[in-house]
Amino acid sequence: MRVTAPTFKPSPATTTGSAMPRQGTAAPVKAERLRPEFQPGLTYRFVVKTELRTGGRSFAMEQQARFDAKVRVDGKPGIVLKGRTERLDATLSSGGATLSYRSLEPGDQGTPLGKHLRVSLNRSVDLTLDAKGRVDGSQVAGGGDESALLPGMPSFGPEELEQIVAGLPQAFSEKPVAPGDQWTVQGSRPVGEAGLVEFEIACRHVGQVAFEGHLCDAVEFAGVLSGALPNGGAAAEIESGGIEGRLHYDPLDRMVRHSEQTSQLVVARPAEGGDPGQVERLPIHQTSTLRLLHVVPTP
């Protein structure tokens, strides 16, 4: 299944970012290369929030992730990141019942959900990035008692850390861009525990904005989702799907300072217990935000 991305339509400016005013005749703006780049010797902390609703179930997660950057020792260009989760708050609701977990709350650690989540929270991951910031290798260390894992429950650990890093460069152009420039990007992104879906988005550089005291380059994007969900059930196909969002890139830290995106899709799959050929349609709504807390020298 392949769908062409729609013509880009810029969304209204967010309340946290406002365009810089122009005075007089503006000089031509030089195209610049915008690309997240981890710098060796620095530690990056991000907070990622995700909300997912599907059918009668909902899930909310807030994860604080730390990445320590150092040079590759194999002689190739790129970076090695040591990533780990420093904090995780999660809430799952289904059928009127709610389970919650806070990794910094001592009373939550001994619950069945707490024991389940700590199996992967205790793991760190070394990610090898190439010269373009793409993940081309990973190695996991540590872990917990896997007998504590609960069947059917999501886990959070090395895979989620890798997804954070892999998602950072996805909306950026390979070529230098200036305000007003547009480009198209293809790739894949996760949808909860259902798996990866394909996307094709149209992006636009909307200019420099002041975001929480930082002068950032703003990029808005909108597009389509397509493909199959490997963990969404037998023959689960995306019948329709769209994604839109906005990001702020800090040219001084050469990193995404903030991003937000919303995706909505309808998944078609064989109905459970139904007649052969009967299809049920499951709507899925997901919102996610990423915020760079700080960049500091690695202790």
Side-chain angles (χ1 to χ4, degrees), residues 45-50 60-67 83-91 101-105 108-109 117-118 120-123 156-157 160-161 164 289 291-293:
R45 280 186 171 89
F46 298 92
V47 170
V48 179
K49 297 181 181 180
T50 301
M61 178 272 290
E62 180 172 306
Q63 177 187 20
Q64 180 173 309
R66 167 179 174 166
F67 298 95
R84 64 186 179 93
T85 297
E86 294 185 315
R87 177 178 61 84
L88 177 72
D89 297 342
T91 302
Y101 170 76
R102 294 168 294 175
S103 63
L104 300 183
E105 181 62 43
D108 287 356
Q109 309 314 304
L117 291 174
R118 294 207 66 81
S120 40
L121 282 179
N122 290 333
R123 294 173 178 161
F156 303 92
E160 285 67 36
L161 294 169
I164 292 173
T289 62
R291 185 180 299 273
L292 176 65
L293 284 183

Side-chain angles (χ1 to χ4, degrees), residues 6 12 39 56 64 86-87 119 163 172 199 285:
Q39 303 299 312
Q64 180 173 309
E86 294 185 315
R87 177 178 61 84
V119 173
Q163 289 170 1
F172 290 90
F199 68 79
H285 178 88

